[in-house]
Amino acid sequence: MKTPPVSAVEELDLSLLLFKLRRRWPLFAGALALAGALAYLYLLLTPPMYGLQATMLLGDQATGSKRAQELLQILEVHDKGLKMEDEVGLITSAGVVREALRRLPYAVAYYREPASWLNRLRPVLVREQPAAAMPFRVLADLTVPQLTDVRIYVAPAGPGRYRLQAAAARSQLADLPTGRLLREVWNVQLDTTIVAGATLRHPLLQVVVQPVPQVPFEAGAGRYYFVLSDVDGAAGRYANGLAVRPIDHDSRIVELRLKNSLPARGQTFLDTLMAVYVAADLRAKDLTGRKTLAFLDEEISRLTLSRRRAAGALSVFRATRGMVDADAQSSSSIQRLGDLEAARARAATMRRYSLSLLAYLQANRGGQMASPSSAGIDDGVLNSLILQLNEFNSRRAALSVNGSSSNPLIVVLDERISNTKEALIQNLTNMSRSADIGLRDLDAQLARVRGQISRLPEDERQLASLKGESDFNEKNYSFLVEKRNEAALALATNTTDKRVVDRAQLSSAGPESPNFKLVALIALLAGLLLPTGLVLLLDKANQTVQGQEDLAQMTNIPVLGVVAHGTRAETKDLAHRSKGPIAESFRSIRVNLQYLAAGPDKKVLGVTSTVPGEGKTFCAVNLATELAHSGRRVVLVETDLRRPTVAAYFPAAAPSRHGLASYLSAECSLDQCLAFSGVPGLDFIPCGPVPGRPSQLLETPRMALLLNLLRAEYDYVVLDTPPVGFVAEYFVLVQHLDATVYVVRYNYTNRGLVSRINELYQEEKIRQVYLVINDVRFAGSYEYRHQGNAYSYYK
């Protein structure tokens, strides 16, 4: 199968792009040099950052009591993905980071400014140093406000003395352990000398500077300084470089990554952060167990008093009445009475707890509340709702650490919490109603049993009653003690389900950033792509004529030829140069004009352009000169009476005070205004005195008479006419012209200006119009690039 050939248009576009880029090679060289210099400075100024990593296991369900395992299984079923996000949010929260920093020496950071040429104007090359590498150590007093975020330079001031200097336009006085801003300080100026080991007591600073004998001050090592930071500022810097993510989508193992300029300090921070998070999780889980124990202890304490009163009353009754046991006949009734009273007591206890919990939920229906306990109620639906409410409260507390109340997740959790509360309230209401029904039924049964017992002897009835109350208290007491022991055992055996898998360690042997290869690649791409974009942007924004192809897209006017670019000397002395690119350009235009375009019957030629500066006078002078060199008699008439410049091209001509303006004003004859150019066969009529109203002069009958006389006397009459875009003189002269040469300048004439002459040509208001492209740099033009060798050929 053959590959289809690439079209010529695609090849031309690629070749054109490469040509444009190659022509601007100095721009690429400068951009590459600048990008390389910036990359070098970036690598030099950017402090090396080391990557550290550690791993933790979250939610290991094999730990804790069996009850805790069951609860975790219930909770994990619902929204495991969101739960992992909550855990990550808690690890990176400001509270956990601050708690970890409070266990570390966060208040003082040490820096060194190397003695480099980059630091001559201002300190831009700075490296943070570990405390062990500094020749001194600073102990800040955390109990008093300190000056924060200001460079405090330390220099030796003699044996056992240090000089402290600081200067800042604005700073702040803050409490370091809490981060609380006390006041702002303006125009900070500090310059004092202290004794090593003594406390500096200053209104803005209270520190102790101690020497480190193993690390002396080195000459030429640069300057040393330290900066004091509060816990919030230090936490912000650590949090910016901290990232936590699961190692896999469904994995419960997360990877903690940290970037820090001091590897040892970063390792210590990561290890401390994990330890703080594990301890906080354990405290949160112990809190629920402690609340359950507190409730059970309160109930046991209350029941102990009732138990003692019942036992004392039974002992007194037996001692005073001498009754130890009742007849077998009353045993069944008494036993039933005791069972019913026990059942009624349990129902009353459940109703009382339900009402208490219902009142608590109704009082806190619209706000946050502590997690309730379901101890003493064996209802699966109620326990499940309470577990759900506890879970939602925990997740909302985790999200509210870093989010606002308008966070969509918090809004959803608030709605779930509210729905769960309403479900609990409805459930407890139903339970209370059921308990009321049960109590009424038990009361009815108790009334029947008591009626039966009342018929027994009074002593037997009282003994049975006291013994039943005592048995009831003993059963309830044993039940609560058993539940408390279970709760205490669960609390004692409960452990956190988070643990450290891998302690913090370096992720690579060297620093992660700056990456030399990446920076070099970016510099290379920037050095190539930015100039390329600039070249394409400038080319797109360039609306000037770039060659014959541009003109072909805008107009159907034929092009006679192009005029090569030349030096000022070449353009001024062209009349005496028979060789060269410019001479050959006009020779080609003359041939096209005589034999291909105008023909021998076109004797009066007008040369014009749209605006000044396009070279119409230059082309008119050199076209007339080339026609004269071909053996014709030619006269050049300067009809641009506003800006006459033709005489400057013929320095050998004798100066004359007469010209076209004088002739049209009837101040001189034709012979008096004619001047010899110095080129054989070429005469010219200069402007003469600049008139006040050139349009009126050109409209006089003497202008038509002059052209008729010149047409009869010369082979060619070349008129240097005014620009079409500025004045109307050209349209006055167009009736006398046999042909018009319209000059556009390469990389100068705007493409929109060509539309003016094109409209006139399409409307047939002017005929016999031919274009000439002036001042073309062959080497810089893609269309005429192959003509660049003509420079050497023409010499």
Side-chain angles (χ1 to χ4, degrees):
M1 179 178 179
K2 287 187 177 182
T3 303
V6 181
S7 65
V9 176
E10 294 178 353
E11 291 183 356
L12 179 60
D13 290 342
L14 180 59
S15 178
L16 175 60
L17 175 62
L18 294 178
F19 177 82
K20 291 177 180 179
L21 298 180
R22 185 173 65 251
R23 189 165 61 91
R24 300 294 184 98
W25 69 265
L27 182 61
F28 283 88
L32 287 172
L34 179 60
L38 293 178
Y40 172 75
L41 288 177
Y42 174 80
L43 293 173
L44 190 63
L45 297 179
T46 305
M49 301 296 291
Y50 294 86
L52 301 107
Q53 63 182 15
T55 52
M56 283 187 66
L57 175 63
L58 304 181
D60 184 6
Q61 300 179 10
T63 60
S65 64
K66 183 177 180 181
R67 179 64 175 169
Q69 296 175 33
E70 294 174 354
L71 293 178
L72 284 174
Q73 290 175 359
I74 295 174
L75 295 176
E76 296 266 335
V77 166
H78 296 292
D79 200 355
K80 187 173 181 180
L82 184 61
K83 178 71 178 213
M84 173 59 74
E85 295 177 359
D86 296 341
E87 299 284 0
V88 171
L90 285 174
I91 295 175
T92 59
S93 64
V96 175
V97 174
R98 281 197 297 266
E99 183 63 26
L101 285 177
R102 288 191 178 98
R103 303 185 183 185
L104 302 174
Y106 66 88
V108 184
Y110 300 94
Y111 299 88
R112 181 174 68 90
E113 293 179 5
S116 172
W117 60 273
L118 294 172
N119 291 332
R120 290 180 181 176
L121 296 179
R122 54 176 301 181
V124 294
L125 179 58
V126 176
R127 292 291 183 266
E128 188 172 3
Q129 302 292 315
M134 297 294 288
F136 59 88
R137 186 159 301 169
V138 177
L139 303 178
D141 189 352
L142 301 181
T143 62
V144 298
Q146 300 280 9
L147 186 68
T148 59
D149 299 329
V150 175
R151 297 182 177 185
I152 303 174
Y153 290 88
V154 179
R161 301 179 67 84
Y162 295 102
R163 182 182 181 184
L164 276 64
Q165 293 178 301
R170 179 183 179 184
S171 183
Q172 57 188 17
L173 205 63
D175 185 30
L176 300 185
T178 62
R180 183 168 56 91
L181 175 64
L182 300 179
R183 64 183 177 91
E184 291 188 347
V185 182
W186 300 84
N187 298 324
V188 177
Q189 297 293 333
L190 175 65
D191 190 352
T192 183
T193 301
I194 64 171
V195 178
T199 302
L200 170 63
R201 301 189 183 277
H202 190 272
L204 303 178
L205 193 66
Q206 291 194 25
V207 296
V208 177
V209 181
Q210 297 177 346
V212 179
Q214 296 82 2
V215 186
F217 280 91
E218 297 180 3
R223 298 199 300 171
Y224 298 92
Y225 68 88
F226 67 92
V227 177
L228 297 181
S229 301
D230 56 52
V231 67
D232 289 340
R237 288 192 294 272
Y238 277 96
N240 290 335
L242 179 63
V244 180
R245 62 176 181 83
I247 63 174
D248 195 18
H249 179 68
D250 295 327
S251 175
R252 301 295 295 173
I253 297 179
V254 295
E255 184 180 57
L256 289 77
R257 286 186 171 272
L258 178 68
K259 287 187 176 182
N260 200 279
S261 58
L262 302 178
R265 187 180 64 180
Q267 288 177 330
T268 304
F269 170 74
L270 277 183
D271 291 338
T272 307
L273 179 68
M274 292 188 293
V276 167
Y277 179 69
V278 170
D281 181 75
L282 183 60
R283 286 196 302 271
K285 291 187 175 182
D286 288 344
L287 181 61
T288 302
R290 293 193 183 95
K291 289 182 178 180
T292 303
L293 285 178
F295 172 77
L296 291 175
D297 287 339
E298 182 180 356
E299 291 296 319
I300 289 174
S301 176
R302 184 180 61 81
L303 191 59
T304 299
L305 297 176
S306 299
R307 177 170 167 265
R308 290 175 181 175
R309 287 196 297 268
L314 180 60
S315 300
V316 170
F317 180 81
R318 284 177 172 177
T320 56
R321 301 297 179 90
M323 181 176 288
V324 178
D325 195 3
D327 297 332
Q329 185 179 357
S330 63
S331 298
S332 175
S333 298
I334 295 173
Q335 180 66 32
R336 186 179 179 190
L337 178 63
D339 293 337
L340 290 175
E341 288 180 345
R344 187 186 186 285
R346 285 194 296 271
T349 301
M350 180 177 294
R351 178 180 178 276
R352 185 168 59 253
Y353 179 78
S354 300
L355 292 175
S356 175
L357 185 58
L358 177 62
Y360 178 69
L361 288 173
Q362 289 176 344
N364 295 272
R365 175 177 292 178
Q368 299 297 320
M369 55 177 285
S371 301
S373 174
S374 60
I377 299 180
D378 294 327
D379 187 86
V381 176
L382 181 63
N383 291 336
S384 177
L385 290 175
I386 290 176
L387 290 176
Q388 290 182 16
L389 181 61
N390 294 341
E391 171 63 11
F392 291 153
N393 283 332
S394 299
R395 289 165 58 183
R396 189 189 187 283
L399 287 176
S400 63
V401 174
N402 292 323
S404 62
S405 59
S406 60
N407 189 309
L409 294 178
I410 294 180
V411 172
V412 171
L413 285 176
D414 288 339
E415 184 177 358
R416 292 182 179 180
I417 291 172
S418 178
N419 294 336
T420 306
K421 288 181 180 179
E422 293 298 329
L424 278 172
I425 292 174
Q426 185 64 33
N427 185 271
L428 290 171
T429 302
N430 294 335
M431 289 181 62
S432 299
R433 293 173 181 173
S434 300
D436 291 336
I437 295 173
L439 285 174
R440 286 194 294 271
D441 182 68
L442 289 172
D443 289 337
Q445 295 183 35
L446 284 172
R448 287 195 299 271
V449 172
R450 285 169 180 157
Q452 295 175 1
I453 296 176
S454 63
R455 293 190 291 271
L456 297 175
E458 182 66 19
D459 292 343
E460 183 180 357
R461 185 187 64 77
Q462 292 183 7
L463 178 62
S465 176
L466 291 174
K467 189 176 181 182
E469 182 179 0
S470 178
D471 292 342
F472 163 73
N473 288 334
E474 288 294 335
K475 290 180 180 179
N476 281 350
Y477 181 80
S478 300
F479 173 77
L480 291 179
V481 169
E482 180 183 0
K483 293 299 181 181
R484 187 194 182 284
N485 292 334
E486 291 179 359
L489 181 61
L491 179 62
T493 59
N494 188 33
T495 61
T496 178
D497 54 357
K498 281 79 176 173
R499 64 185 179 88
V500 177
V501 178
D502 293 319
R503 297 178 63 86
Q505 58 185 352
L506 288 173
S507 57
S508 60
E512 285 190 355
S513 65
N515 190 326
F516 174 78
K517 294 182 179 180
L518 179 61
V519 172
L521 178 60
I522 293 175
L524 178 61
L525 293 178
L528 294 177
L529 296 181
L530 291 181
T532 300
L534 180 60
V535 169
L536 296 179
L537 180 62
L538 293 176
D539 182 70
K540 191 68 176 178
N542 188 1
Q543 296 297 315
T544 60
V545 175
Q546 298 296 309
Q548 190 170 348
E549 293 181 358
D550 280 358
L551 294 176
Q553 297 176 2
M554 294 181 289
T555 180
N556 294 325
I557 301 175
V559 179
L560 286 178
V562 297
V563 179
H565 172 77
T567 63
R568 182 175 295 273
E570 290 174 341
T571 57
K572 289 296 182 182
D573 195 23
L574 188 61
H576 300 89
R577 293 175 179 263
S578 60
K579 293 184 178 182
I582 299 180
E584 290 297 330
S585 298
F586 281 105
R587 193 168 293 119
S588 175
I589 293 173
R590 187 257 301 169
V591 171
N592 292 335
L593 182 65
Q594 288 180 327
Y595 299 105
L596 301 179
D601 57 334
K602 303 301 187 291
K603 302 184 66 173
V604 180
L605 305 175
V607 181
T608 187
S609 64
T610 305
V611 293
E614 293 176 313
K616 67 173 183 60
T617 301
F618 169 75
C619 291
V621 170
N622 288 284
L623 179 59
T625 302
E626 184 57 36
L627 288 172
H629 284 163
S630 66
R632 273 73 171 180
R633 293 194 66 231
V634 183
V635 62
L636 175 62
V637 182
E638 186 174 21
T639 58
D640 189 354
L641 304 181
R642 299 177 184 270
R643 298 179 61 182
T645 57
V646 171
Y649 287 90
F650 303 106
S656 174
R657 61 186 182 87
H658 297 294
L660 179 62
S662 303
Y663 176 81
L664 296 180
S665 301
E667 297 177 359
C668 66
S669 63
L670 178 58
D671 294 335
Q672 290 177 323
C673 64
L674 274 172
F676 179 64
S677 64
V679 178
L682 176 60
D683 296 330
F684 73 97
I685 300 177
C687 171
V690 178
R693 297 179 179 179
S695 299
Q696 296 180 359
L697 287 179
L698 295 177
E699 290 176 339
T700 60
R702 288 181 66 84
M703 185 65 194
L705 177 61
L706 173 64
L707 292 178
N708 289 332
L709 292 175
L710 296 177
R711 186 189 295 267
E713 182 71 19
Y714 293 91
D715 295 325
Y716 286 99
V717 180
V718 180
L719 274 60
D720 177 22
T721 64
V724 176
F726 277 16
V727 293
E729 282 89 334
Y730 169 78
F731 299 100
V732 175
L733 297 172
V734 72
Q735 58 183 325
H736 305 297
L737 302 178
D738 296 328
T740 299
V741 176
Y742 187 84
V743 179
V744 295
R745 186 173 178 181
Y746 172 82
N747 205 31
Y748 181 86
T749 303
N750 192 283
R751 297 172 186 173
L753 299 178
V754 183
S755 61
R756 177 73 181 278
I757 194 70
N758 186 51
E759 292 175 0
L760 297 175
Y761 178 74
Q762 291 179 347
E763 295 172 359
E764 297 184 354
K765 294 182 179 180
I766 58 174
R767 299 181 180 180
Q768 300 296 330
V769 180
Y770 307 97
L771 296 175
V772 171
I773 305 176
N774 183 34
D775 197 27
V776 177
R777 298 177 181 264
F778 293 153
S781 171
Y782 177 78
E783 185 177 350
Y784 305 104
R785 65 192 185 280
H786 299 299
Q787 300 184 22
N789 296 329
Y791 283 103
S792 60
Y793 179 77
Y794 293 143
K795 293 181 180 179

